[in-house]
Amino acid sequence: DQQVKQNSPSLSVQEGRISILNCDYTNSMFDYFLWYKKYPAEGPTFLISISSIKDKNEDGRFTVFLNKSAKHLSLHIVPSQPGDSAVYFCAASEVNRDDKIIFGKGTRLHILP
Amino acid sequence: ETGVTQSPTHLIKTRGQQVTLRCSSQSGHNTVSWYQQALGQGPQFIFQYYREEENGRGNFPPRFSGLQFPNYSSELNVNALELDDSALYLCASSPRTGRGNTGELFFGEGSRLTVL
């Protein structure tokens, strides 16, 4: 039973355009959501997060949107750059329950020149 | 500031053997989590150690065990290896200061285990 779902295994976007990565979750008790980025042969690195009390969080080119009623979040990257080519993992946790962070399967983003 | 380091980076074992993977947490971080990432999957939570005690466990059998040392470094031990244990094992540290972890983990590069 996958509690965090990333239904697009891969996504290709032209350099300079907007990349939108989507994530759905099933556990309504999740109260903190994160995006991690992973390059080959490296561990995942934290990118951006959002608490369930917010619906948007922005950090430079990266914005995460949360729609709690739809149990959906998305990561927008504007403008997309070649260095953004990586695997992006959506993750979620119940901060006040335990320390288990649940990850999705990831979406591989290709930025095309 | 030294990041999270893991050893070994690659290793090959045969079914039934035992393996120990090691992790040094980032300076100042007192919490270590271990994850298993199988091919094509996201990282799956194995367990977490805080102040040398197991503090949360995922859906993994008891043959997966761990330790945390006073310097916050950690080991993951897997007994009776099975073919499905072949995966990338990721260690992550965090500066947890109280109950609850917002999940901003700092990962090492991982140890890739192949079980033949």
PDB file of all heavy atoms in Angstrom, chain B residues 86-109:
ATOM      1  N   SER B  86      19.192  -7.065  -2.036  1.00  0.00           N
ATOM      2  CA  SER B  86      20.029  -6.285  -2.953  1.00  0.00           C
ATOM      3  C   SER B  86      19.389  -4.915  -3.161  1.00  0.00           C
ATOM      4  O   SER B  86      18.242  -4.809  -3.601  1.00  0.00           O
ATOM      5  CB  SER B  86      20.141  -6.995  -4.307  1.00  0.00           C
ATOM      6  OG  SER B  86      20.837  -8.199  -4.188  1.00  0.00           O
ATOM      7  N   ALA B  87      20.134  -3.878  -2.805  1.00  0.00           N
ATOM      8  CA  ALA B  87      19.578  -2.526  -2.854  1.00  0.00           C
ATOM      9  C   ALA B  87      20.666  -1.525  -2.508  1.00  0.00           C
ATOM     10  O   ALA B  87      21.778  -1.906  -2.132  1.00  0.00           O
ATOM     11  CB  ALA B  87      18.420  -2.381  -1.871  1.00  0.00           C
ATOM     12  N   LEU B  88      20.302  -0.253  -2.617  1.00  0.00           N
ATOM     13  CA  LEU B  88      21.146   0.836  -2.122  1.00  0.00           C
ATOM     14  C   LEU B  88      20.676   1.150  -0.710  1.00  0.00           C
ATOM     15  O   LEU B  88      19.489   1.388  -0.481  1.00  0.00           O
ATOM     16  CB  LEU B  88      20.999   2.066  -3.018  1.00  0.00           C
ATOM     17  CG  LEU B  88      21.808   3.307  -2.642  1.00  0.00           C
ATOM     18  CD1 LEU B  88      23.305   3.051  -2.852  1.00  0.00           C
ATOM     19  CD2 LEU B  88      21.361   4.517  -3.475  1.00  0.00           C
ATOM     20  N   TYR B  89      21.580   1.114   0.234  1.00  0.00           N
ATOM     21  CA  TYR B  89      21.233   1.421   1.620  1.00  0.00           C
ATOM     22  C   TYR B  89      21.728   2.824   1.948  1.00  0.00           C
ATOM     23  O   TYR B  89      22.923   3.107   1.869  1.00  0.00           O
ATOM     24  CB  TYR B  89      21.818   0.365   2.566  1.00  0.00           C
ATOM     25  CG  TYR B  89      21.082  -0.933   2.440  1.00  0.00           C
ATOM     26  CD1 TYR B  89      21.430  -1.850   1.455  1.00  0.00           C
ATOM     27  CD2 TYR B  89      19.991  -1.222   3.262  1.00  0.00           C
ATOM     28  CE1 TYR B  89      20.717  -3.033   1.296  1.00  0.00           C
ATOM     29  CE2 TYR B  89      19.279  -2.404   3.106  1.00  0.00           C
ATOM     30  CZ  TYR B  89      19.640  -3.293   2.118  1.00  0.00           C
ATOM     31  OH  TYR B  89      18.926  -4.462   1.955  1.00  0.00           O
ATOM     32  N   LEU B  90      20.782   3.659   2.302  1.00  0.00           N
ATOM     33  CA  LEU B  90      21.072   5.066   2.551  1.00  0.00           C
ATOM     34  C   LEU B  90      20.993   5.376   4.038  1.00  0.00           C
ATOM     35  O   LEU B  90      20.053   4.960   4.725  1.00  0.00           O
ATOM     36  CB  LEU B  90      20.065   5.953   1.804  1.00  0.00           C
ATOM     37  CG  LEU B  90      20.134   5.916   0.280  1.00  0.00           C
ATOM     38  CD1 LEU B  90      18.846   6.440  -0.327  1.00  0.00           C
ATOM     39  CD2 LEU B  90      21.326   6.728  -0.203  1.00  0.00           C
ATOM     40  N   CYS B  91      21.972   6.102   4.493  1.00  0.00           N
ATOM     41  CA  CYS B  91      21.977   6.600   5.863  1.00  0.00           C
ATOM     42  C   CYS B  91      21.702   8.098   5.803  1.00  0.00           C
ATOM     43  O   CYS B  91      22.179   8.788   4.892  1.00  0.00           O
ATOM     44  CB  CYS B  91      23.339   6.321   6.504  1.00  0.00           C
ATOM     45  SG  CYS B  91      23.588   7.097   8.100  1.00  0.00           S
ATOM     46  N   ALA B  92      20.924   8.588   6.738  1.00  0.00           N
ATOM     47  CA  ALA B  92      20.628  10.019   6.786  1.00  0.00           C
ATOM     48  C   ALA B  92      20.717  10.496   8.222  1.00  0.00           C
ATOM     49  O   ALA B  92      20.270   9.801   9.136  1.00  0.00           O
ATOM     50  CB  ALA B  92      19.231  10.287   6.226  1.00  0.00           C
ATOM     51  N   SER B  93      21.270  11.660   8.422  1.00  0.00           N
ATOM     52  CA  SER B  93      21.324  12.218   9.773  1.00  0.00           C
ATOM     53  C   SER B  93      20.518  13.499   9.826  1.00  0.00           C
ATOM     54  O   SER B  93      20.222  14.126   8.802  1.00  0.00           O
ATOM     55  CB  SER B  93      22.770  12.450  10.206  1.00  0.00           C
ATOM     56  OG  SER B  93      23.352  13.548   9.521  1.00  0.00           O
ATOM     57  N   SER B  94      20.147  13.874  11.038  1.00  0.00           N
ATOM     58  CA  SER B  94      19.368  15.095  11.244  1.00  0.00           C
ATOM     59  C   SER B  94      19.610  15.612  12.643  1.00  0.00           C
ATOM     60  O   SER B  94      19.920  14.840  13.548  1.00  0.00           O
ATOM     61  CB  SER B  94      17.882  14.828  10.995  1.00  0.00           C
ATOM     62  OG  SER B  94      17.421  13.761  11.778  1.00  0.00           O
ATOM     63  N   PRO B  95      19.466  16.915  12.819  1.00  0.00           N
ATOM     64  CA  PRO B  95      19.717  17.528  14.123  1.00  0.00           C
ATOM     65  C   PRO B  95      18.454  17.591  14.969  1.00  0.00           C
ATOM     66  O   PRO B  95      17.959  18.656  15.285  1.00  0.00           O
ATOM     67  CB  PRO B  95      20.183  18.930  13.745  1.00  0.00           C
ATOM     68  CG  PRO B  95      19.411  19.237  12.487  1.00  0.00           C
ATOM     69  CD  PRO B  95      19.230  17.919  11.774  1.00  0.00           C
ATOM     70  N   ARG B  96      17.889  16.436  15.285  1.00  0.00           N
ATOM     71  CA  ARG B  96      16.637  16.407  16.026  1.00  0.00           C
ATOM     72  C   ARG B  96      16.840  16.961  17.425  1.00  0.00           C
ATOM     73  O   ARG B  96      17.748  16.577  18.138  1.00  0.00           O
ATOM     74  CB  ARG B  96      16.149  14.973  16.119  1.00  0.00           C
ATOM     75  CG  ARG B  96      14.809  14.811  16.797  1.00  0.00           C
ATOM     76  CD  ARG B  96      14.381  13.388  16.684  1.00  0.00           C
ATOM     77  NE  ARG B  96      13.077  13.170  17.267  1.00  0.00           N
ATOM     78  CZ  ARG B  96      12.816  12.199  18.135  1.00  0.00           C
ATOM     79  NH1 ARG B  96      13.770  11.385  18.502  1.00  0.00           N
ATOM     80  NH2 ARG B  96      11.609  12.051  18.612  1.00  0.00           N
ATOM     81  N   THR B  97      15.971  17.845  17.825  1.00  0.00           N
ATOM     82  CA  THR B  97      16.115  18.445  19.144  1.00  0.00           C
ATOM     83  C   THR B  97      14.955  18.111  20.061  1.00  0.00           C
ATOM     84  O   THR B  97      14.984  18.404  21.241  1.00  0.00           O
ATOM     85  CB  THR B  97      16.221  19.978  19.026  1.00  0.00           C
ATOM     86  OG1 THR B  97      15.074  20.462  18.314  1.00  0.00           O
ATOM     87  CG2 THR B  97      17.478  20.377  18.287  1.00  0.00           C
ATOM     88  N   GLY B  98      13.921  17.521  19.539  1.00  0.00           N
ATOM     89  CA  GLY B  98      12.771  17.184  20.374  1.00  0.00           C
ATOM     90  C   GLY B  98      11.887  16.191  19.657  1.00  0.00           C
ATOM     91  O   GLY B  98      12.271  15.680  18.618  1.00  0.00           O
ATOM     92  N   ARG B  99      10.717  15.937  20.144  1.00  0.00           N
ATOM     93  CA  ARG B  99       9.825  14.962  19.508  1.00  0.00           C
ATOM     94  C   ARG B  99       9.410  15.468  18.135  1.00  0.00           C
ATOM     95  O   ARG B  99       9.084  16.614  17.944  1.00  0.00           O
ATOM     96  CB  ARG B  99       8.585  14.727  20.366  1.00  0.00           C
ATOM     97  CG  ARG B  99       7.629  13.766  19.708  1.00  0.00           C
ATOM     98  CD  ARG B  99       6.706  13.108  20.684  1.00  0.00           C
ATOM     99  NE  ARG B  99       5.783  12.220  20.037  1.00  0.00           N
ATOM    100  CZ  ARG B  99       6.102  11.017  19.578  1.00  0.00           C
ATOM    101  NH1 ARG B  99       7.318  10.579  19.714  1.00  0.00           N
ATOM    102  NH2 ARG B  99       5.205  10.263  19.002  1.00  0.00           N
ATOM    103  N   GLY B 100       9.451  14.595  17.223  1.00  0.00           N
ATOM    104  CA  GLY B 100       9.049  14.970  15.878  1.00  0.00           C
ATOM    105  C   GLY B 100      10.218  15.404  15.028  1.00  0.00           C
ATOM    106  O   GLY B 100      11.128  16.072  15.480  1.00  0.00           O
ATOM    107  N   ASN B 101      10.185  14.993  13.815  1.00  0.00           N
ATOM    108  CA  ASN B 101      11.273  15.312  12.899  1.00  0.00           C
ATOM    109  C   ASN B 101      10.646  15.844  11.630  1.00  0.00           C
ATOM    110  O   ASN B 101       9.846  15.166  11.023  1.00  0.00           O
ATOM    111  CB  ASN B 101      12.078  14.034  12.626  1.00  0.00           C
ATOM    112  CG  ASN B 101      13.263  14.276  11.721  1.00  0.00           C
ATOM    113  OD1 ASN B 101      13.403  15.338  11.151  1.00  0.00           O
ATOM    114  ND2 ASN B 101      14.104  13.292  11.595  1.00  0.00           N
ATOM    115  N   THR B 102      10.978  17.072  11.271  1.00  0.00           N
ATOM    116  CA  THR B 102      10.363  17.635  10.073  1.00  0.00           C
ATOM    117  C   THR B 102      10.867  16.977   8.801  1.00  0.00           C
ATOM    118  O   THR B 102      10.398  17.300   7.729  1.00  0.00           O
ATOM    119  CB  THR B 102      10.611  19.153  10.003  1.00  0.00           C
ATOM    120  OG1 THR B 102      12.018  19.381  10.043  1.00  0.00           O
ATOM    121  CG2 THR B 102       9.939  19.866  11.152  1.00  0.00           C
ATOM    122  N   GLY B 103      11.818  16.073   8.941  1.00  0.00           N
ATOM    123  CA  GLY B 103      12.194  15.266   7.786  1.00  0.00           C
ATOM    124  C   GLY B 103      13.267  15.852   6.919  1.00  0.00           C
ATOM    125  O   GLY B 103      13.537  15.340   5.854  1.00  0.00           O
ATOM    126  N   GLU B 104      13.891  16.945   7.333  1.00  0.00           N
ATOM    127  CA  GLU B 104      14.974  17.509   6.538  1.00  0.00           C
ATOM    128  C   GLU B 104      16.233  16.716   6.829  1.00  0.00           C
ATOM    129  O   GLU B 104      17.061  17.083   7.647  1.00  0.00           O
ATOM    130  CB  GLU B 104      15.129  18.992   6.847  1.00  0.00           C
ATOM    131  CG  GLU B 104      13.905  19.780   6.403  1.00  0.00           C
ATOM    132  CD  GLU B 104      13.935  21.235   6.801  1.00  0.00           C
ATOM    133  OE1 GLU B 104      15.027  21.748   7.085  1.00  0.00           O
ATOM    134  OE2 GLU B 104      12.872  21.862   6.844  1.00  0.00           O
ATOM    135  N   LEU B 105      16.314  15.604   6.144  1.00  0.00           N
ATOM    136  CA  LEU B 105      17.388  14.656   6.356  1.00  0.00           C
ATOM    137  C   LEU B 105      18.567  14.980   5.452  1.00  0.00           C
ATOM    138  O   LEU B 105      18.394  15.470   4.344  1.00  0.00           O
ATOM    139  CB  LEU B 105      16.890  13.239   6.054  1.00  0.00           C
ATOM    140  CG  LEU B 105      15.668  12.774   6.835  1.00  0.00           C
ATOM    141  CD1 LEU B 105      15.143  11.475   6.249  1.00  0.00           C
ATOM    142  CD2 LEU B 105      16.008  12.595   8.296  1.00  0.00           C
ATOM    143  N   PHE B 106      19.745  14.636   5.943  1.00  0.00           N
ATOM    144  CA  PHE B 106      20.970  14.818   5.178  1.00  0.00           C
ATOM    145  C   PHE B 106      21.502  13.419   4.886  1.00  0.00           C
ATOM    146  O   PHE B 106      21.906  12.698   5.792  1.00  0.00           O
ATOM    147  CB  PHE B 106      21.976  15.640   5.983  1.00  0.00           C
ATOM    148  CG  PHE B 106      21.518  17.042   6.235  1.00  0.00           C
ATOM    149  CD1 PHE B 106      20.576  17.325   7.206  1.00  0.00           C
ATOM    150  CD2 PHE B 106      22.018  18.094   5.479  1.00  0.00           C
ATOM    151  CE1 PHE B 106      20.132  18.621   7.436  1.00  0.00           C
ATOM    152  CE2 PHE B 106      21.593  19.394   5.701  1.00  0.00           C
ATOM    153  CZ  PHE B 106      20.642  19.652   6.677  1.00  0.00           C
ATOM    154  N   PHE B 107      21.489  13.051   3.615  1.00  0.00           N
ATOM    155  CA  PHE B 107      21.816  11.691   3.212  1.00  0.00           C
ATOM    156  C   PHE B 107      23.286  11.531   2.836  1.00  0.00           C
ATOM    157  O   PHE B 107      23.924  12.451   2.309  1.00  0.00           O
ATOM    158  CB  PHE B 107      20.989  11.280   1.994  1.00  0.00           C
ATOM    159  CG  PHE B 107      19.570  10.921   2.298  1.00  0.00           C
ATOM    160  CD1 PHE B 107      18.583  11.889   2.319  1.00  0.00           C
ATOM    161  CD2 PHE B 107      19.211   9.600   2.564  1.00  0.00           C
ATOM    162  CE1 PHE B 107      17.265  11.566   2.600  1.00  0.00           C
ATOM    163  CE2 PHE B 107      17.903   9.268   2.844  1.00  0.00           C
ATOM    164  CZ  PHE B 107      16.927  10.246   2.863  1.00  0.00           C
ATOM    165  N   GLY B 108      23.788  10.324   3.079  1.00  0.00           N
ATOM    166  CA  GLY B 108      25.067   9.926   2.525  1.00  0.00           C
ATOM    167  C   GLY B 108      24.871   9.413   1.111  1.00  0.00           C
ATOM    168  O   GLY B 108      23.744   9.379   0.602  1.00  0.00           O
ATOM    169  N   GLU B 109      25.975   8.984   0.485  1.00  0.00           N
ATOM    170  CA  GLU B 109      25.886   8.522  -0.899  1.00  0.00           C
ATOM    171  C   GLU B 109      25.369   7.093  -1.000  1.00  0.00           C
ATOM    172  O   GLU B 109      25.028   6.640  -2.086  1.00  0.00           O
ATOM    173  CB  GLU B 109      27.261   8.631  -1.557  1.00  0.00           C
ATOM    174  CG  GLU B 109      27.724  10.077  -1.730  1.00  0.00           C
ATOM    175  CD  GLU B 109      29.056  10.172  -2.427  1.00  0.00           C
ATOM    176  OE1 GLU B 109      29.648   9.140  -2.755  1.00  0.00           O
ATOM    177  OE2 GLU B 109      29.512  11.308  -2.656  1.00  0.00           O
TER     178      GLU B 109
END
